Amino acid sequence: MTSLYWRTFGEGKLDLVLLHGWGLNAEVWGCITDRLAPHFRLHLVDLPGYGRSQDFGVLSLHQMAEVMLEKAPQQAVWLGWSMGGLVASKMALIAPERVQALISVASSPCFCARDEEKWPGIRADVLRGFEEQLSGNFEQTVAQFMALQTLGAPDARNDAKKLNQVVLNCPMPKVSVLHGGLRLLAENDLRQALVDLPVPLLRIYGSLDGLVPRRIVPQLDALWPRSRSVLINHAAHAPFISHPDEFCQQVISFIREFSPEGQD
């Protein structure tokens, strides 16, 4: 039987599920859990195949979301960072009755650039380059990807060190799972699917993010007028690490607007 790492704690009544990004695990949230635990019942998850959820092989986006559903609370706010934002978004699409609200962090419904549509994102050749490097020295490749996520942040070197420490503190994903994650980023496009999303949506971005460029913000503002976007100045791809107080305040304020259980 496959086992999914899932840890629950916190003093609040409302459930908040946190999903990490590619190559990482739930320990990445350690810098903000003390700020959020007084307000919510937190659920820290290692995505299937990552961290301590080693029993899983390569899964599609839909399969990942279905695995989450098996262990998730009956209702929760889902917060997903980067690739975790795609998984949380898929959750909201296949089981909206289980999702009170969706918060995406430095995430995109379509990570790969689409030049013909003037859609900004990661160039396909960059993703292919990471895939090729994984087969050689995957630990070094993961470290390079972590550095890319913090590039431009005020304390980029220290932020990258924190991300790498998270990787080192848990089992490394299999190379096949990392390959599958990059393909997941390259192949999925949820832009149109999320147009009629029936749950509240907050999108948080870093103004200096090189992986999810700020140029997608006005495009999604127009495509998803019922959602809300927040741009954190001087933050890169991990705003909860570089700007934890501002990040948590945005999350808490958003949830308070629609949920009495999110009140102090």
Side-chain angles (χ1 to χ4, degrees):
M1 180 178 177
T2 50
S3 177
L4 185 70
Y5 175 82
W6 193 294
R7 179 187 171 212
T8 302
F9 63 98
E11 303 165 29
K13 296 180 180 178
L14 185 140
D15 291 290
L16 175 61
V17 183
L18 306 175
L19 302 183
H20 61 82
W22 181 87
L24 286 153
N25 56 72
E27 298 306 307
V28 77
W29 303 110
C31 57
I32 59 171
T33 51
D34 285 350
R35 293 172 173 85
L36 295 177
H39 304 276
F40 310 108
R41 185 184 301 114
L42 299 179
H43 299 262
L44 302 188
V45 187
D46 285 353
L47 290 172
Y50 293 82
R52 291 145 293 195
S53 300
Q54 288 280 305
D55 296 339
F56 298 85
V58 178
L59 301 180
S60 69
L61 185 62
H62 192 99
Q63 288 170 329
M64 274 197 177
E66 287 185 326
V67 169
M68 298 286 116
L69 274 175
E70 291 178 7
K71 200 160 183 177
Q74 281 306 302
Q75 275 208 325
V77 176
W78 289 75
L79 185 155
W81 170 50
S82 196
M83 187 184 79
L86 271 181
V87 180
S89 296
K90 193 68 173 180
M91 277 283 310
L93 289 171
I94 67 175
E97 72 282 357
R98 302 277 298 274
V99 179
Q100 287 179 270
L102 174 64
I103 302 173
S104 68
V105 181
S107 190
S108 174
C110 179
F111 275 87
C112 206
R114 302 283 196 269
D115 291 342
E116 70 281 3
E117 303 173 34
K118 297 183 179 179
W119 176 258
I122 308 171
R123 296 194 61 82
D125 58 335
V126 172
L127 283 173
R128 283 195 299 269
F130 274 115
E131 279 209 64
E132 292 169 4
Q133 293 169 39
L134 278 173
S135 301
N137 187 335
F138 77 99
E139 289 187 5
Q140 182 180 344
T141 304
V142 171
Q144 290 174 347
F145 197 78
M146 298 306 129
L148 187 61
Q149 294 187 52
T150 61
L151 192 65
D155 196 5
R157 185 187 298 271
N158 193 43
D159 291 350
K161 187 182 295 184
K162 290 178 183 176
L163 288 177
N164 280 308
Q165 198 62 45
V166 168
V167 174
L168 295 172
N169 283 345
C170 284
M172 283 287 290
K174 298 181 181 72
V175 176
S176 60
V177 169
L178 292 172
H179 274 293
L182 290 178
R183 287 194 296 274
L184 187 151
L185 293 177
E187 296 170 0
N188 281 278
D189 183 351
L190 301 182
R191 287 176 291 177
Q192 290 302 319
L194 290 165
V195 167
D196 296 318
L197 185 72
V199 303
L201 169 58
L202 172 67
R203 298 148 32 224
I204 302 177
Y205 303 93
S207 65
L208 304 176
D209 193 342
L211 297 175
V212 179
R214 61 188 296 175
R215 286 180 293 141
I216 79 167
V217 179
Q219 294 194 40
L220 290 179
D221 286 344
L223 186 62
W224 303 341
R226 289 183 294 176
S227 70
R228 181 189 307 173
S229 62
V230 171
L231 191 68
I232 297 182
N233 287 326
H234 310 298
H237 193 61
F240 56 94
I241 291 179
S242 61
H243 297 73
D245 290 327
E246 183 176 353
F247 176 85
C248 289
Q249 188 53 53
Q250 292 290 348
V251 170
I252 293 167
S253 297
F254 172 67
I255 294 174
R256 279 176 177 167
E257 290 182 18
F258 66 83
S259 173
E261 292 180 332
Q263 306 291 331
D264 290 334

